[in-house]
Structures are given as structure tokens and as C-alpha cells.
Amino acid sequence: MTAQIIPSKTSAEVALAEAFGTARAKLPGNAEVAQLREASFESFSKAGLPHRRIESWHYTDLRALMREALPLAQPPGAEAIAALGKEMRAAGLPAQSLVLVDGVFIPELSAKLPEGVRVSSLAAALAEGRRDVVTALSAEWAGVKDPIVSLNAALMQDGVVIDIAPGTKLDAPIRLVYASVSATPVAHFSRSLVLVGTGASVQISETSFGSGGRKGQINNALVIVGGDECDIAHTLSLTDTEPGSLRLESFMVKLGAKAHFDSFALITGGGIVRRQIFLRFDGADTKANLRGVSLLRGREHADTTLFVEHCAPGCEGRENFRYILDDEAVGVFQGRIHVAPAAQKTDSKMLCKALLLTDKVAMNSKPELEIFADDVVCGHGATCGGLNEDQIFYLQTRGLTFAQAEALLLDAFGGELVDELPDESLVAAFRAEIAAWLAKRPQGARL
Amino acid sequence: MLEIRNLTVSIGDKTILQGLNLTVRDGEVAALMGPNGTGKSTLSYVCAGKSGYNVTSGEVLLDGVNLLELDPDVRAARGLFLAFQYPTEIPGVATMTFLKAALNAQRKQRGEEELSTPAFMKKIKAASDMLGIKSDMLKRSLNVGFSGGEKKRMDILQMALLEPKFGILDETDSGLDIDALRIVADGVNALRAPDRAFLVITHYQRLLEYIVPDTVHIMAQGRIVRSGGKELALEVEKSGYKNYEATAAA
Ligand SMILES: Nc1ncnc2c1ncn2[C@@H]1O[C@H](COP(=O)(O)OP(=O)(O)OP(=O)(O)O)[C@@H](O)[C@H]1O
Ligand SMILES: [Mg+2]
């Protein structure tokens, strides 16, 4: 028998409780939403910050890693927004950009989207008590069991709600562009929703604008609900987190029947990143493809944790994640695939590959299959190691220096997943980001 | 051109090359034959600079410079080329990207300017036409999913492009069909020149009908046991290696 240990609250937990206490009256939403916030905070508060004794957080012990809780971001002022707008016009934002500043949706900086797409702020939808929005946030959603998602539900300040009408076909991606005007590091909590109608086809790409777009403590959630026969391609570029920052990204996806879902994320940059994906196959014969590349150096820490639930028959899931770890970086990959009894003929393959460039890095890789249906094909694999010496030698015999050979192989390792993206401009953009990361390696250090 | 003197090489505590001597002159094509496991590939790897071998004595001189002291890429830039018995697959690296990187890396090491893209494309086109390599193959990852014969051709394409001084061809004929054998042999013959030389490792007389050697060397148990003209290959074809193995053991 081990005694139940109820640890006292950490100072970060105490500060979060205070922040919620002060902010709750001002946070957007009708009475039902207020209740949801209370319940969510209660659920967070009971669990506390996740720590290593919670299995899904074992390798990212927030209790230890999050020493303090930063103050909540104030809504950006009109002057700051105007200055940012000027900067954005000068730089030229891509078409169909929706801009969020410190977690708040700013319509005046955002593009008008074509017919079939309706955009509003989360705050407005919550104030109005929009049924579908509130439902998408409510407890039946798998992710709500996670303390960090609960905390997000309690404190969400704003975000954007995008409705894609059934049958809408968009050629160019809708861009969620994150920016910051806060002068000091703050915490923000934002949540966005994309509701994709039956048979609609859409690309969503999450990027950021400007330097310092992502400093402080960020708790972001993106919810996508895809109707039957929809086709969704999502990308996330998480490449500008500053050292000392904390990034908590929850991505919740629920798909109807015969849908097609594709998601890719590139993670580089400082601080601590935890990305959690909750993917639920709700309708039959749907295909989903999750991919990610994490490039880490220094003492960076990036965790990608998947919860994939097969609830319907005949679905195909592909999860493919790669890590390059340099210096003393820490990579975490956890993939839990759950196949419910009803999900016969599930076809699931998960693969995680890590390249370890020094002997001081750590890669924690944990696939987990929970299969309750008998007629399924499920596989997973994980590899972890250095660059292939035979490949390096082959390249050297052709005249490439050791450093050039290494760079070419690293670029290929990350680039391979990028090359599978459906849109060529995205392929080029992500490959350029990988190349930029590689260019910062001290060349020839190991010659 | 190439002079190997008293080369002794071991892996772990197993000695593979035992005081091997071999000279290949400018303009010469030398054939190297010998039973399986006798150390032919080991010799080619040691010349090219693969790690993991313990060279306990000897030198490998290319135009008087001891290659054994140089990194593999420096050896390549000095004009050494190895066509592998088993070319390595490199996922994610487009063949074309690789070819350009290799060519420019060598030019840079030699202090030459990078090739312009049009000039590069012209060179590639000439070489791939000669070897019957289709352009869509150049877009694929290097050697990944290539058939055995395609990999061999790709190695020869690289040789044609890099124009080395000295080429070692390790069983380039294995895995090639009759037509490919002729194409590859033509490719090698086109490169024959007074200031270039080759060491052609093979098990079969057939290749030597297409690439006619100036000299033939028989290797057994880690050393050269017999050297002669092209008729030596015919003799081996007829009676095998048993006589030479006895010589080596003596
Ligand atoms: N990495 C290694 N570790 C241990 N032994 C090795 C290693 N590489 C080669 N050998 C051994 O060295 C000997 C020579 O091998 P090598 O590949 O050079 O032969 P080869 O003459 O090229 O043979 P083949 O005609 O079959 O290609 C063999 O007995 C082989 O098993
Ligand atoms: Mg061999």
C-alpha cells in the first residue's frame, strides 16, 4: 500500500487560481458558458498541473517545468493594433489571413473570406451561446479530460470561429496568423473552432507574424469538426517560440464518415512545447494522416502526444513523426491508438523516427495500442539512432565533405515528410524553414 | 597512376589483406578477379577511405600521394572514384540534387567555380542519354527502389559526370542484363583515356569481352597471386581458382 499523496499547490497553481478568480467575471460567455468555465477550472484544480505520475504527461512534468504563472494578457490596444496593421501591410500577409493578436481575433486586420465561409470571434459566439460552439466545448469532448484543455476551457479569452458551409470548395488555404503586441511576457489562452460542413474542402494553415510572436506562456486550442465527406488539410508552423517560453497546443479533431484529413506540423525553436492531438474517427471509412517534424537543439523540449480514437469501422489512420535532436534537447513522442469494438476493419500505422546527433540528447518514444476489435490491421514502429554511416561514406566518396553529407541527410530526413504535403507553396515554405534551422548548426564542428 | 604497396588490413582481429602489392599505370585498365570473400571489396573500400578498417602497414599512392592519410571526400576530389558493389540507398535526397551537390563539392575542393545550372543540365543530359537513364529517375530519391541494374547504371552515371582520374568498379557487371552490360561497358570505354585508369573487379570473363583489360590480376587470401594479360581471365574461367589458392597458402 502506498499512501495517497496530495501535494500542496505549487505557486504557479496558486497564481492560476487567482487569475481565474479575478478574470472570470470578465471572460466572455453567457451563463451556460460561465458554468462550463467553473466546471472546467474545478476539474483542472482537482488534478493540478500535470506531472510525471500522470501517464500522458510523464515526460513533460509541468509541475516541475512551470515555475510561475505569468499574468493574463490584456486585450491589445487600438494604437498597438494600428501599428501592427501597418507592419502587416508593409510585409504583405498572404491571402485569406485571419489575425489573432495575443489570442484575440482582430477582424480589422483580417481578410474577408469568400462565400461559404463565415467568421466570428469566439467571444461573440460564447456571448450569444451558440449551441454548436458550446457543444463542441462541452465535456463529451475527449480532450476535456486533460487538465491543460480544462484550463484552456476555463480561461479562453478569445479565438476565431470559422464555419464552412456544406459543399464549399476553397482553393487557397485559410491562414490563422498569430501575432503579439505585448511588451512583457504574458499568458494567453485562446481557442478557435473550425466547423466544416458536409462535402466541404478546406486548407487551414497556422503560422505567425513577426518576431517575438510567441513569447510567454501560451495555451492554445484548435477544434476542428469535420462533417461527412469533407476534405481538410491542416498545417502548423511552430517555429518561433522564444527560449524560456511555454507552449501548450491542444488540437482536437472529430471526423464524420468518408472524410479525408491531413495534418502536418513543424516544431523548432526555444522553450518547452507540448502539442497534444485528440483525433476521433466518428464516421466510417474516413482517412486521416498526421505528420510532424520536430527539430530541437540547446535544451529545448518538445512533446507530441497523440490520442487517436477509432470509433467507427473501416477507417485508416497514418501517424508519422520525426525528430532531429541536437545538443541536449529532449524529444517526446507518445501515441495512443484506441480501437473501439465497433471499429472493425481499422487500418492504423504509426511510426516515429528520431535522429540523435549527440549522446546528451534524450528521446522518449512510447506508442500504445488499445485494440478492442478483432478484425483490424494495426502496426507501429519506432527507430532512434544516429545518421547512417554508410550513407555518409557514400556521399563522401562522391566529394561531399562530412558536414555537407550530414546536412544533406538531415535535410532529407525532415524534408521527406514535408514533400508529401498537397500544396507546393507549403512544401517550399516548410523546406525553407528546415533549411534555415540546419543553417544555424555550427558547420564542421564534428569534422 | 595507382600504386598499392605492401597493404595489410584487418577488421577486428581478422586480417583480410596481407601485404598486397598492385600497380596500375596511366591509361591502363586492370582487371581484378578472385574467389568470394578474398578481400576485393575490402581493398576498394580501403582505397576510398571507409572507416572501420585497421591498416597495419602499407600505402595507397595516387600519382604519388598517399590516399590513406586523406578524408574520403578529399580522395574523391583528387580523382578517385568507387563504383560500389552495392550502391547505398539515400531516402529523401533527390538524385538530381545529389548529383549537383557532388559535382560542385568536388569543384569547390579543387578551387574551381560552381557549375551554372544550364551547364550542369547539359552534362547530366549527355551522361544519362549515353547510359539510357530516364529523366524521371533523376527526380526520385537516390537509389531508393531502383532495381539492381539501375543502381549500377546510376553509379556509372556519376563516374561519367565526375570524370575521375582513377575508377574502381566493384562488380559493376553483377545484376546487369546483357543490354545494360553493353551500355555500361560502352560508358566505361568512352572514359578510357591516356591520363585515366581503371581497376575493374569482376567474377566473369564476359565483362572483359566488352571492357578489354590491359592486365589481369588474380587475388587470393588477401594478396595478388598472379598477374598477366587478358588471357589470364580465360584461364580462370576454365579452371577456377583452386591452383591460385594453393599458391596463396604456400
Ligand atoms: N565489417 C566486417 N566485419 C567482419 N568481417 C568482414 C567485414 N567486412 C568484410 N569482412 C570479411 O572480409 C572478407 C573479405 O570480404 P570482401 O567483401 O572484401 O570480399 P570480396 O572479395 O569482395 O568477396 P565477393 O567476391 O563475394 O564480393 C570476407 O571474409 C568478409 O566476411
Ligand atoms: Mg566484393
Side-chain angles (χ1 to χ4, degrees):
Chain A
M1 280 282 303
T2 47
Q4 181 79 20
I5 300 162
I6 301 169
S8 59
K9 291 218 176 300
T10 66
S11 59
E13 287 165 346
V14 171
L16 285 167
E18 281 170 14
F20 181 65
T22 321
R24 74 177 130 194
K26 286 172 280 177
L27 288 167
N30 65 4
E32 188 187 2
V33 172
Q35 240 170 37
L36 181 77
R37 288 184 186 278
E38 291 291 339
S40 298
F41 194 82
E42 183 60 29
S43 139
F44 163 76
S45 187
K46 238 190 245 153
L49 284 170
H51 48 78
R52 69 196 155 75
R53 287 191 304 280
I54 294 185
E55 207 189 341
S56 61
W57 285 85
H58 183 75
Y59 302 104
T60 301
D61 185 340
L62 270 196
R63 213 164 202 272
L65 293 170
M66 191 174 156
R67 290 256 142 254
E68 49 161 4
L70 294 173
L72 277 194
Q74 295 304 309
E79 239 169 76
I81 289 175
L84 181 64
K86 219 169 158 185
E87 240 183 279
M88 285 180 164
R89 276 189 300 279
L93 281 192
Q96 306 200 146
S97 290
L98 302 176
V99 177
L100 290 101
V101 180
D102 290 317
V104 177
F105 175 52
I106 311 292
E108 56 268 41
L109 296 182
S110 301
K112 264 190 75 77
L113 294 191
E115 206 172 320
V117 185
R118 203 157 54 103
V119 176
S120 75
S121 72
L122 179 80
L126 294 179
E128 188 189 312
R130 244 182 78 173
R131 185 95 319 264
D132 51 351
V133 172
V134 176
T135 305
L137 301 177
S138 73
E140 77 180 64
W141 192 261
V144 169
K145 290 181 209 128
D146 178 84
I148 288 310
V149 178
S150 297
L151 191 61
N152 179 280
L155 281 160
M156 55 190 170
Q157 295 160 291
D158 196 15
V160 60
V161 179
I162 307 173
D163 289 279
I164 316 276
T168 306
K169 309 267 183 227
L170 295 182
D171 296 332
I174 295 178
R175 314 235 177 204
L176 297 182
V177 180
Y178 302 101
S180 176
V181 294
S182 172
T184 55
V186 285
H188 35 98
F189 294 81
S190 85
R191 181 177 291 222
S192 294
L193 255 81
V194 186
L195 304 165
V196 182
T198 305
S201 153
V202 59
Q203 296 178 52
I204 312 278
S205 128
E206 297 184 78
T207 56
S208 53
F209 177 85
S211 59
R214 309 286 183 103
K215 60 176 182 249
Q217 296 175 339
I218 291 159
N219 182 329
N220 254 341
L222 176 64
V223 179
I224 295 185
V225 181
D228 294 348
E229 292 173 36
C230 69
D231 187 344
I232 303 170
H234 164 266
T235 61
L236 167 65
S237 160
L238 215 158
T239 55
D240 59 345
T241 308
E242 293 195 346
S245 304
L246 173 66
R247 266 312 268 283
L248 304 168
E249 292 278 330
S250 304
F251 186 30
M252 292 162 268
V253 182
K254 186 154 69 175
L255 301 169
K258 295 199 177 86
H260 208 278
F261 180 79
D262 199 293
S263 173
F264 173 84
L266 177 66
I267 299 176
T268 71
I272 295 158
V273 176
R274 156 82 170 200
R275 179 163 191 252
Q276 36 188 9
I277 303 179
F278 304 86
L279 168 64
R280 187 150 123 190
F281 291 89
D282 251 359
D285 303 320
T286 282
K287 290 187 175 162
N289 208 326
L290 303 178
R291 305 183 191 90
V293 173
S294 299
L295 311 176
L296 309 173
R297 60 164 59 103
R299 297 184 147 205
E300 293 163 8
H301 174 118
D303 171 337
T304 294
T305 295
L306 313 180
F307 303 85
V308 177
E309 273 188 287
H310 283 271
C311 305
C315 293
E316 184 186 288
R318 295 285 177 271
E319 295 84 26
N320 213 332
F321 287 80
R322 293 195 177 177
Y323 292 72
I324 299 178
L325 305 180
D326 205 352
D327 303 327
E328 297 175 44
V330 178
V332 180
F333 174 79
Q334 303 183 99
R336 180 185 296 172
I337 311 281
H338 178 95
V339 181
Q344 298 294 358
K345 306 272 183 211
T346 290
D347 173 359
S348 163
K349 277 200 190 74
M350 178 164 58
L351 189 59
C352 174
K353 289 189 182 179
L355 274 183
L356 317 183
L357 301 183
T358 74
D359 52 12
K360 293 206 180 80
V361 300
M363 179 68 208
N364 305 290
S365 179
K366 197 175 88 182
E368 237 180 305
L369 300 181
E370 301 171 334
I371 301 173
F372 298 99
D374 46 24
D375 184 15
V376 301
V377 183
C378 290
H380 66 76
T383 65
C384 215
L387 281 168
N388 182 315
E389 284 180 18
D390 289 340
Q391 293 177 346
I392 296 219
F393 173 63
Y394 187 83
L395 295 173
Q396 281 186 290
T397 63
R398 274 31 179 171
L400 278 74
T401 63
F402 182 88
Q404 286 171 326
E406 196 181 47
L408 192 66
L409 292 176
L410 292 175
D411 185 52
F413 180 77
E416 247 189 318
L417 290 190
V418 172
D419 288 345
E420 293 171 13
L421 293 178
D423 183 290
E424 277 189 27
S425 69
L426 290 173
V427 171
F430 281 117
R431 289 218 64 146
E433 289 196 89
I434 292 176
W437 186 84
L438 287 172
K440 285 188 203 140
R441 293 191 76 217
Q443 286 283 320
R446 269 172 284 275
L447 265 176
Chain B
M1 170 76 60
L2 188 83
E3 206 180 335
I4 302 174
R5 287 191 196 148
N6 189 31
L7 186 63
T8 300
V9 171
S10 57
I11 304 175
D13 50 13
K14 183 175 172 188
T15 304
I16 297 176
L17 302 183
Q18 323 223 18
L20 185 140
N21 291 292
L22 177 67
T23 301
V24 183
R25 291 182 182 79
D26 290 4
E28 180 178 327
V29 171
L32 181 64
M33 304 180 83
N36 292 132
T38 203
K40 303 180 298 295
S41 293
T42 302
L43 175 65
S44 56
Y45 282 146
V46 169
C47 289
K50 189 169 179 165
S51 60
Y53 297 96
N54 187 12
V55 179
T56 49
S57 77
E59 311 173 299
V60 176
L61 305 173
L62 180 64
D63 284 341
V65 175
N66 188 5
L67 293 180
L68 299 180
E69 287 156 8
L70 307 175
D71 283 335
D73 52 303
V74 181
R75 299 181 197 198
R78 284 187 168 264
L80 183 77
F81 183 89
L82 169 62
F84 283 61
Q85 183 172 1
Y86 304 106
T88 310
E89 299 190 358
I90 310 207
V93 175
T95 303
M96 192 69 107
T97 310
F98 156 74
L99 292 174
K100 197 167 180 192
L103 195 62
N104 281 331
Q106 292 207 8
R107 294 178 74 93
K108 196 172 162 196
Q109 287 227 20
R110 292 195 293 256
E112 299 163 14
E113 275 198 19
E114 286 204 352
L115 217 54
S116 72
T117 302
F120 170 73
M121 295 308 291
K122 211 172 136 193
K123 261 180 110 80
I124 287 274
K125 173 120 183 35
S128 50
D129 282 355
M130 177 176 74
L131 290 162
I133 291 173
K134 295 213 182 70
S135 63
D136 64 332
M137 219 160 103
L138 300 175
K139 288 182 198 142
R140 285 164 58 186
S141 286
L142 181 61
N143 291 333
V144 177
F146 289 15
S147 75
E150 285 169 343
K151 286 180 185 171
K152 296 301 181 75
R153 274 195 225 197
M154 189 52 75
D155 256 26
I156 299 304
L157 172 82
Q158 293 168 34
M159 186 166 80
L161 214 60
L162 297 170
E163 301 172 291
K165 259 197 265 183
F166 192 83
I168 303 175
L169 276 57
D170 192 357
E171 294 196 31
T172 296
D173 52 336
S174 66
L176 291 181
D177 64 40
I178 281 290
D179 295 332
L181 186 66
R182 189 172 294 131
I183 291 169
V184 163
D186 286 348
V188 174
N189 287 329
L191 287 171
R192 287 178 86 152
D195 57 352
R196 189 173 282 141
F198 295 93
L199 182 66
V200 178
I201 300 171
T202 184
H203 286 295
Y204 305 104
Q205 155 67 19
R206 201 183 55 193
L207 175 70
L208 303 180
E209 282 168 16
Y210 294 112
I211 306 175
V212 180
D214 300 299
T215 53
V216 174
H217 305 271
I218 308 296
M219 183 169 171
Q221 295 176 21
R223 62 174 77 114
I224 304 295
V225 292
R226 178 101 189 263
S227 299
K230 61 179 186 246
E231 67 290 344
L232 196 51
L234 285 168
E235 196 182 308
V236 168
E237 184 98 338
K238 235 184 287 156
S239 45
Y241 292 114
K242 48 186 187 303
N243 301 335
Y244 307 115
E245 281 179 333
T247 319

